[in-house]
Amino acid sequence: MRMKKAFIGLSLLCMIVPGIAKSADSLNSVAENDRSSIVANWKFTKQHVKSGSIDKGNLIIEDTTKQGNDLELVTIGDPASPELKKMLKWSEEDYYAQDKVNSLKFANYENAPAGRYFKTIRDAPINSENFDRGFTIELVFKMPRNPKGDMGLFSRQGQAADLNKMEGEKKTLSALSISSDQKLHWTSHPSNLNYNVSNWSRSLNAGEWYHLAVVNDGSTTTLTLNGVSDYGESEKAIGIAAVKGKGWNIGATEWGNKLDALFGGNIQEIRIANKALTEKEWLV
């Protein structure tokens, strides 16, 4: 009898194990699909420095997806300005207050003698990505304690006029900025329209951490800030128009092919997917 029970138990185990293995394979497959949709992921920590340093002005932040979308530090203005040293520093602050997690603190301000931001390297694949199947742009960032004026968070280089899109904001292509009254503004020229579409948020609080998700499902675009997405939907917008040979700016926006505004505050992570990710798939 004991042998029979043991045999039955072994038989059941043999039946269950393949099911467990199959479920695990299924989860791994889903995870792999999720990873394949991520086209760029930048973590602004010391652990993800590919080369260089802030002090030497040649810092390179790696794209953790290993797809070649690395970021290079850009310095503008007077390189001999004593204020330059404080424009970009490593910070121990992060969204969840974790150990061994850093962020980068930007101290740019309007009319400063010098400033710093990042841009994608020249041959980065994301520079030519049109996101026609949709996109998810996520940022984990902190507002400065004393915000002043407009600030640029993220932008696509080039202007709409370069693509003969002569309506709307023809001097900007795509930009994520913070207005002087501390409201987030996403504006972009889709591939299917000759003018830009926009999404706005409520006012942000000084010194507070935020997770932002700008999501396009291949048609409409929504903006969600710290889990609240009641900021409306855009009209039908497909993709993000791109100018050949142009890349992306991190911590800066452009106007008329010239730098317009730089960011002041902390940036911990930015991740971009070529489809609309669900909330469960978001960073936060």
Side-chain angles (χ1 to χ4, degrees):
M1 180 65 71
R2 289 180 180 175
M3 291 183 63
K4 183 176 181 181
K5 287 182 177 179
F7 178 76
I8 292 173
L10 183 60
S11 299
L12 288 171
L13 182 61
C14 291
M15 293 173 65
I16 292 170
V17 169
I20 294 174
K22 186 174 181 181
S23 297
D25 288 342
S26 177
L27 289 172
N28 289 336
S29 177
V30 170
E32 188 63 37
N33 288 335
D34 290 344
R35 284 195 296 269
S36 68
S37 68
I38 306 300
V39 297
N41 191 186
W42 302 300
K43 296 181 180 182
F44 296 86
T45 68
K46 293 180 181 179
Q47 292 86 345
H48 294 285
V49 170
K50 188 170 184 178
S51 64
S53 68
I54 295 175
D55 292 341
K56 293 182 179 179
N58 60 351
L59 184 67
I60 302 290
I61 298 291
E62 70 170 352
D63 171 17
T64 64
T65 70
K66 307 300 182 183
Q67 297 181 71
N69 297 306
D70 299 333
L71 300 177
E72 60 180 336
L73 179 61
V74 181
T75 300
I76 61 170
D78 181 7
S81 171
E83 290 196 49
L84 185 61
K85 291 184 179 180
K86 67 178 183 180
M87 288 304 173
L88 188 67
K89 291 183 177 182
W90 293 110
S91 170
E92 294 184 358
E93 295 181 281
D94 72 280
Y95 188 92
Y96 285 117
Q98 302 173 90
D99 292 333
K100 298 181 181 180
V101 176
N102 310 119
S103 62
L104 268 177
K105 185 175 183 179
F106 296 74
N108 297 305
Y109 63 90
E110 193 173 5
N111 298 321
R116 281 180 158 168
Y117 68 101
F118 289 88
K119 67 178 181 180
T120 50
I121 61 175
R122 182 176 181 180
D123 297 322
I126 196 173
N127 294 349
S128 57
E129 175 67 57
N130 288 315
F131 299 98
D132 289 335
R133 295 189 299 116
F135 58 84
T136 301
I137 300 172
E138 292 181 86
L139 289 90
V140 180
F141 70 98
K142 181 184 178 182
M143 286 286 288
R145 297 191 183 280
N146 296 296
K148 296 179 181 179
D150 297 332
M151 293 189 290
L153 260 175
F154 181 74
S155 60
R156 185 157 224 171
Q157 297 165 2
Q159 59 180 352
D162 296 334
L163 298 172
N164 295 318
K165 293 177 179 288
M166 302 303 290
E167 300 178 42
E169 301 273 7
K170 64 182 181 180
K171 289 191 176 183
T172 188
L173 197 57
S174 291
L176 181 63
S177 59
I178 301 173
S179 64
S180 57
D181 57 353
Q182 286 82 63
K183 292 181 180 179
L184 270 168
H185 179 212
W186 166 252
T187 184
S188 178
H189 276 262
S191 302
N192 64 313
L193 298 173
N194 287 325
Y195 52 89
N196 58 305
V197 294
S198 294
N199 296 75
W200 287 87
S201 80
R202 57 180 170 82
S203 293
L204 281 63
N205 297 321
E208 187 170 324
W209 279 97
Y210 289 95
H211 168 259
L212 169 70
V214 181
V215 182
N216 177 277
D217 60 4
S219 179
T220 57
T221 306
T222 59
L223 187 154
T224 301
L225 190 64
N226 279 2
V228 181
S229 54
D230 59 350
Y231 308 121
E233 297 182 349
S234 68
E235 59 187 295
K236 187 172 183 178
I238 300 174
I240 303 176
V243 174
K244 187 176 181 180
K246 298 285 188 176
W248 297 81
N249 299 316
I250 309 298
T253 51
E254 292 189 356
W255 176 259
N257 279 331
K258 296 180 180 180
L259 283 177
D260 176 43
L262 300 180
F263 179 63
N266 292 56
I267 299 180
Q268 180 179 333
E269 186 170 358
I270 298 177
R271 190 177 71 169
I272 304 174
N274 60 8
K275 71 173 186 178
L277 299 179
T278 65
E279 286 192 37
K280 290 182 179 180
E281 297 172 304
W282 291 354
L283 290 171
V284 177

